[in-house]
Amino acid sequence: VPTPSASASDAPAPEPPHALLLSGARLADGRTVDVRLGGGRIEAVGTAGSLAPGRLPPGGARVDLSGYLLLPAPAEPHAHYDTALTADSPGSAGPPRSAPEDVRRRTTEAALLQLGHGATALRTHTRIGDVAGLRSLEAVLLTRRTLRGLCELTTVAVPRLLTGVAGADGLAMLRDAVKMGATVVGGCPDLDPDPGGYVEAVLDVAAEHGCAVDLHTDGGDPARLSRLAAAAGGLRPGVTIGPCGGLGGLPYETAARTADQLAAAGVTVVCLPQGNCRVLERPSPSAPSSPSRVAPVRLLSAAGVAVAAGSGALRDAANPVGRGDPLEAAYLLASHGEAAPAAAYETVAARARKAMGLPEVRVEAGFPAELLAVRGTEIAGMLSLAYSRVVIHRGRVVSRTSAVREFCDFAAPGGLGLPRQSQG
């Protein structure tokens, strides 16, 4: 077992020393404002031009966000970085390589990809046990240290079995994972011979160590979800389940009754509009799979269930074309009628952060400077054409993406004039 010190919880990253002024940004309510950041937080928000660059301290910087919509940054509540980016790898016909260097490379690439999309806080579900033991978890925790200052990465320890003789090792390893630095305990009770016992074991470990719980379940068994809700009620810091695509296949009355029980227990549901993690939900990758469904977000929200949205599989055996883009997840919810555009964005931003136990973010003075600027004027259009993005973490610009579309007539005489159109 790797020593806990190799992956111990990291000290907070040092605060950025210089102020940053975001000028001319448009907010979701239509106002155009200047926003001054400092010490990792929003220091001031004023009308456009009111926070002049001359008022910045020495060394301060200014970013012109004219034409950009400024929003709280999204977060990723349900990723699988230890298996990400393996769909096209040489070993994709078999299990993903579990060598620590391979897991670290995949985790780094996947985390930076999602950071570029705008997610400044990331939660990845990492398998423990079997052949890899705790090596994959250790690799992810080391990667967290590498990415410090760029994004916040946390991990969910995911054992395969927790009940019976076969589950004894998994239970011991789950406790070791928490000591190493895993801040959330979880797994997939659907794969254990005793799903109820699996849930009880996870909740016991969470209560022992004060950890949050994040369980991976299809949610197609209402009786099982009812028992989970009864057991999870009142547990702090909270219980999250997902992707719960099976709820969408239940009769309406049954799904509504189950939603009421989840709401009463305070259980959060993380849906995956870009595709469920079907490989994890089956005993083996070769086992038959039903078509992927998305949890019934509108029904759950109407019952009072807190619903967040994640990206899930990222170009692995479960989803070979996953993009890992939170804005695409919001776009899909809106386009399928599960939520209005603004509410859909909330599922990948405010609700995702709350599901991860993170502080609330608003574009107001005093709140954390976790922000995303996207070229556009309103949320619906931004979800449709979210190409150009500026990502801010702890008050610093950590990623910029710019897109320009060019039009030309190659048959036109006199050379090629290239009209340019900036993209959202």
Side-chain angles (χ1 to χ4, degrees):
V1 176
T3 59
S5 60
S7 309
S9 297
D10 307 312
E15 298 292 359
H18 303 308
L20 181 65
L21 176 64
L22 310 176
S23 64
R26 184 182 179 93
L27 301 184
D29 62 11
R31 289 180 294 151
T32 300
V33 298
D34 289 351
V35 180
R36 188 174 68 240
L37 313 178
R41 306 190 78 81
I42 299 173
E43 289 186 340
V45 178
T47 56
S50 65
L51 305 179
R55 300 184 185 181
L56 288 174
R62 173 180 175 272
V63 178
D64 183 1
L65 291 182
S66 301
Y68 280 79
L69 187 65
L70 185 64
L71 300 164
E76 175 51 68
H78 192 120
H80 293 273
Y81 292 157
D82 57 334
T83 58
L85 308 174
T86 57
D88 298 323
S89 66
S92 60
R97 294 175 180 172
S98 59
E101 59 271 20
D102 291 320
V103 175
R104 289 191 68 181
R105 173 184 54 77
R106 293 196 296 261
T107 300
T108 301
E109 291 181 10
L112 291 178
L113 175 65
Q114 293 211 270
L115 175 63
H117 289 321
T120 61
L122 313 163
R123 175 184 283 186
T124 178
H125 293 241
T126 305
R127 302 190 196 201
I128 62 174
D130 299 326
V131 176
L134 292 169
R135 292 196 304 273
S136 293
L137 175 64
E138 184 182 23
V140 171
L141 293 174
L142 289 172
T143 305
R144 178 182 67 183
R145 298 173 62 182
T146 302
L147 297 172
R148 190 166 66 106
L150 290 174
C151 60
E152 301 295 332
L153 176 63
T154 57
T155 187
V156 184
V158 178
R160 181 173 175 80
L161 299 175
L162 287 181
T163 66
V165 175
D169 287 343
L171 190 56
M173 201 166 291
L174 184 59
R175 290 190 168 94
D176 287 339
V178 175
K179 295 174 184 177
M180 284 176 59
T183 53
V184 187
V185 293
C188 187
D190 301 1
L191 301 183
D192 195 284
D194 180 5
Y198 189 108
V199 171
E200 290 177 9
V202 169
L203 296 179
D204 286 346
V205 173
E208 288 174 19
H209 297 277
C211 294
V213 171
D214 195 336
L215 291 167
H216 196 295
T217 178
D218 178 66
D221 186 332
R224 190 179 298 171
L225 286 183
S226 297
R227 290 192 293 269
L228 186 152
L235 184 71
R236 295 292 178 267
V239 176
T240 298
I241 61 174
C244 294
L247 268 174
L250 297 177
Y252 178 85
E253 294 78 8
T254 303
R257 185 167 55 252
T258 302
D260 289 339
Q261 294 168 339
L262 295 174
V267 174
T268 297
V269 172
V270 174
C271 67
L272 303 178
Q274 297 170 89
N276 294 335
C277 309
R278 301 299 299 179
V279 171
L280 185 59
E281 296 161 11
R282 304 198 307 272
S284 71
S286 60
S289 171
S290 59
S292 179
R293 293 189 179 94
V294 177
V297 173
R298 186 177 292 276
L299 181 150
L300 290 166
S301 298
V305 178
V307 181
S311 299
L314 176 57
R315 301 211 301 269
D316 63 13
N319 184 359
V321 295
R323 294 181 181 174
D325 186 351
L327 270 59
E328 183 181 53
Y331 160 81
L332 290 170
L333 288 180
S335 65
H336 292 162
E338 290 290 350
Y345 187 76
E346 286 284 302
T347 66
V348 301
R351 291 188 178 275
R353 288 185 62 86
K354 187 173 182 180
M356 297 164 67
L358 297 171
E360 181 183 9
V361 174
R362 298 183 191 172
V363 189
E364 298 176 14
F367 284 87
E370 304 290 323
L371 303 169
L372 171 65
V374 183
R375 186 173 292 280
T377 58
E378 40 85 33
I379 289 180
M382 176 269 292
L383 293 181
S384 300
L385 296 170
Y387 299 131
S388 297
R389 310 183 191 189
V390 179
V391 185
I392 296 167
H393 171 56
R394 297 178 67 84
R396 296 168 52 247
V397 174
V398 292
S399 175
R400 298 186 73 154
T401 302
S402 298
V404 174
R405 176 174 292 155
E406 298 184 341
F407 301 90
C408 62
D409 181 359
F410 288 98
L416 297 177
L418 299 179
R420 296 160 67 86
Q421 180 186 54
S422 61
Q423 293 299 292

